[in-house]
Amino acid sequence: MARPQTDIEAGRAELLEVVDDLIRKRGAVDISMSDLAAAAGMSPSNLYRFFDSKEALLEAVAERFFDEKVRIMVEVTESDLPVRDKMYEYFARRFVVMVEKYEAEPELLKSYLEIGQQYFEVVRGYVDLGDHYLALIVAEAMEQGYFTGLSIDEAVSLINQMVHCYTNPEAIVYIGMNKLRVEKLARIIDAIFNGLGAQASAELTKEPIIKIVS
């Protein structure tokens, strides 16, 4: 008789907590299915009832890591906020979540970032998803006259580069939370809306004057 889906989901959630514990103890060391089974006190064959492969386990770990950020992206893009406020909330709320995770367990976050680099193909889908939701906000802004002279893809690329420090968890580690403030982010968003358009783009495409100092 098949287990009820709710039991499977509850078992997966418990196993992901075990993954957390293993990473706390061992850092960003590759965790095998046998390692996880032993730590959970179950046989490898029983573990495969919850995750049918190492890839399925990694996908579940990534889904759990990004779950709150995805929820924020959906809530913000579907909200009735003015488009400028919507873009600010889109970045600010995810940044606050990232800071809270770092403050709660900095070493655990660092280890997950290392694991994410090792298995970037699993993470890539969430990066693309972020661009998708940002593109929805950009398209809405364009309907209101912002970002003239740019395509949606161009605007998304430029905006991502301008707010990179607020979307990259490693920036918290290397730059420091004292320098990364949501108040600064608000001013960056204002600068994006006020300056990212046809006139600004025309200035940027001019050949730069580079002076070589010997």
Side-chain angles (χ1 to χ4, degrees):
M1 181 176 178
R3 279 175 177 262
Q5 188 64 24
T6 52
D7 287 355
I8 294 294
E9 290 171 355
R12 286 174 180 162
E14 290 176 4
L15 286 166
L16 291 176
E17 291 290 343
V18 176
V19 171
D20 275 355
D21 289 338
L22 281 171
I23 293 173
R24 287 187 185 100
K25 295 173 184 175
R26 298 168 49 178
V29 177
D30 189 39
I31 298 172
S32 67
M33 295 292 275
S34 58
D35 289 337
L36 179 55
M42 64 172 60
S43 66
S45 60
N46 193 25
L47 176 61
Y48 280 98
R49 299 177 68 180
F50 299 96
F51 301 107
D52 59 14
S53 65
K54 175 71 173 290
E55 290 72 24
L57 173 62
L58 290 170
E59 288 171 3
V61 169
E63 182 180 5
R64 182 168 178 259
F65 184 86
F66 287 101
D67 179 65
E68 191 169 6
K69 290 184 178 181
V70 172
R71 178 180 57 78
I72 288 170
M73 290 190 290
V74 173
E75 286 180 359
V76 171
T77 53
E78 293 181 353
S79 72
D80 295 325
L81 288 168
V83 70
R84 189 182 295 231
D85 294 341
K86 187 175 288 190
M87 186 173 290
Y88 168 74
E89 292 289 333
Y90 178 79
F91 290 111
R93 288 179 59 186
R94 291 184 298 150
F95 172 70
V96 168
V97 167
M98 197 163 57
V99 169
E100 289 173 348
K101 285 187 176 182
Y102 179 76
E103 289 180 328
E105 292 189 85
E107 294 306 317
L108 181 62
L109 179 61
K110 290 177 187 177
S111 294
Y112 268 117
L113 294 179
E114 290 182 39
I115 293 170
Q117 291 174 352
Q118 295 170 26
Y119 297 100
F120 184 70
E121 67 278 4
V122 178
V123 175
R124 187 187 302 276
Y126 292 95
V127 176
D128 294 341
L129 189 62
D131 284 349
H132 165 73
Y133 284 111
L134 177 56
L136 295 180
I137 299 174
V138 168
E140 182 180 340
M142 286 179 169
E143 291 176 357
Q144 298 178 28
Y146 295 104
F147 312 141
T148 56
L150 296 172
S151 69
I152 291 177
D153 286 346
E154 287 171 333
V156 166
S157 179
L158 287 167
I159 292 166
N160 276 333
Q161 291 181 50
M162 295 171 78
V163 300
H164 178 71
C165 291
Y166 289 88
T167 58
N168 180 4
E170 292 183 357
I172 295 177
V173 179
Y174 296 113
I175 298 177
M177 290 179 291
N178 292 332
K179 294 182 180 179
L180 294 174
R181 295 291 192 184
V182 290
E183 295 84 3
K184 290 182 179 180
L185 175 61
R187 298 186 70 174
I188 292 170
I189 298 301
D190 278 340
I192 288 170
F193 275 88
N194 293 338
L196 194 59
Q199 183 176 354
S201 297
E203 292 295 322
L204 286 171
T205 56
K206 291 181 179 178
E207 186 175 350
I209 300 172
I210 301 174
K211 184 177 181 180
I212 306 294
V213 180
S214 59

